[in-house]
Structure formats: C-alpha cells, structure tokens
Amino acid sequence: MLALMSASAAVAALPAIGRAQGSPTKGQDVLIVYLTRTRNTEALARLVQARTGGTLVALQPQQPYPQNYQAHVDQVVRENEQSLTPALRNPVDPAPYSTVFVGFPTWGMQLPPPVKSWLAQVKLSGKRVLPFNTHAGFGVGSGFETVQALCPNSTVLAGLSIEGGYEKRGQMLMLQGDRARRADEQVAQWLARHQIS
C-alpha cells in the first residue's frame, strides 16, 4: 500500500482546489473527482490521493452555490425536486483512467446535483468506480445507490462514508488532527479491501 503522504500532511495541503494534481508515474490510471463545501470531502479526497497517487480534481459548478447555509439548502431542495443538474466549470474527462473515485458530501440525504451532473455527462463504461462520502452524522443517504444507477456499465465497488462537519451547527472542516488520522486508517482499510494501492 502506498503511503505517499501522512494523513496530517495530506489534510494540511488543502490550498489548491480545481486543478488536476497527481504524480505523472504513480497513480496515472486513477482519477479522484470530488465535490466539497466545508472541505471535509476535500480532506478525504486528499487522503485517497496520498495513498493512490491519483489525479485529484475538484468539481466546480459554473454558478457557485450560495454561501448562506439556508439559501444553499433551499437551492439543493429545488434542484432535487425539479431534477435539475447544474452546469460545471470543469467537467474533467475520465477517458484516460480505468479507476475513478467519486467523492461527495451528503446534501439532503442525496447525491449532490453537481455530482449527478458530472456522472450524467461522462462515460464511465468499463471503469471501476469507487464512491466516497462525508456526512454530518446522518450517513450517506441514497448517494451510493444513485452513483450505482448513474454508472450502469461500470463496476461500482462498495463505498466509504465518514462523518465530517455539521455546517448547520457551525462545524466546518472537522477531518483534521486525530480525526484525519482515523479517516486515513479507514481509507487504507477500504483500499486494501478493493486491492487498490
């Protein structure tokens, strides 16, 4: 199992979002796409990247979501009710990769609309897809099932779900320090179960 970076270092290296990052030799067949709001999913994505060496890309909606929590929730509810999928600023092409990690927070107990957008736009046929999730203590909801439904011709492996922040209570980036170390252990076990290094 590769341990390219410690859990603390991976989470500490959170600054650059939106650019493809990865090693040109290790993990060249691995793509890690994620959506984040409170940066917990980003922290988890960076732990996956540190262990796989994959290319790391943050999905960014063309029209950013409101910073205000309640306005954000209202928009997500509206998008889910109307089956709206927002346009993305950087719809990364997964074609060169055979293994694709898809990371997302739980929004309204569902897969966030921008992740639905990306999965609906791209072709993941024949690829291994590994979903991972952060949540506020209520679990992944229907997120993993939706990934499975949107990737009918892919091998969707069992996902990983880890408790992150709870924005409604003002708990933002929580995957730091000891919690990041515990999350890193869970990532290592998850990757080992799927024989990914």
Side-chain angles (χ1 to χ4, degrees), residues 5-14 47 50 175-181 184:
M5 185 183 288
S6 72
S8 302
V11 175
L14 286 177
L47 293 174
L175 288 182
Q176 302 182 75
D178 286 340
R179 286 186 70 175
R181 282 186 282 282
D184 186 51

Side-chain angles (χ1 to χ4, degrees), residues 21-122:
Q21 301 174 9
S23 163
T25 54
K26 293 178 182 169
Q28 62 188 0
D29 201 31
V30 175
L31 175 64
I32 305 157
V33 174
Y34 69 94
L35 179 74
T36 198
R37 178 168 166 90
T38 59
R39 300 185 81 192
N40 289 287
T41 308
E42 179 184 359
L44 188 54
R46 288 184 181 273
L47 293 174
V48 172
Q49 197 269 341
R51 289 193 169 273
T52 64
T55 299
L56 187 66
V57 179
L59 290 179
Q60 298 177 339
Q62 211 155 45
Q63 183 66 39
Y65 280 81
Q67 289 299 311
N68 175 274
Y69 175 76
Q70 192 54 54
H72 171 87
V73 168
D74 292 343
Q75 180 175 330
V76 170
V77 167
R78 189 168 51 255
E79 288 173 345
N80 284 332
E81 286 176 351
Q82 298 174 18
S83 298
L84 300 175
T85 50
L88 300 172
R89 200 181 328 165
N90 61 336
V92 61
D93 180 10
Y97 306 94
S98 66
T99 300
V100 179
F101 289 84
V102 180
F104 57 91
T106 300
W107 285 3
M109 298 309 291
Q110 297 184 46
L111 187 68
V115 181
K116 292 177 191 174
S117 288
W118 187 72
L119 290 173
Q121 289 173 21
V122 299

Side-chain angles (χ1 to χ4, degrees), residues 133-169:
N133 162 267
T134 59
H135 58 85
F138 305 103
V140 67
S142 62
F144 291 161
E145 289 84 1
T146 304
V147 171
Q148 179 79 54
L150 291 172
C151 301
N153 300 311
S154 307
T155 302
V156 180
L157 302 177
L160 174 67
S161 187
I162 292 180
E163 185 173 351
Y166 194 160
E167 186 176 2
K168 191 173 180 180
R169 293 184 180 162

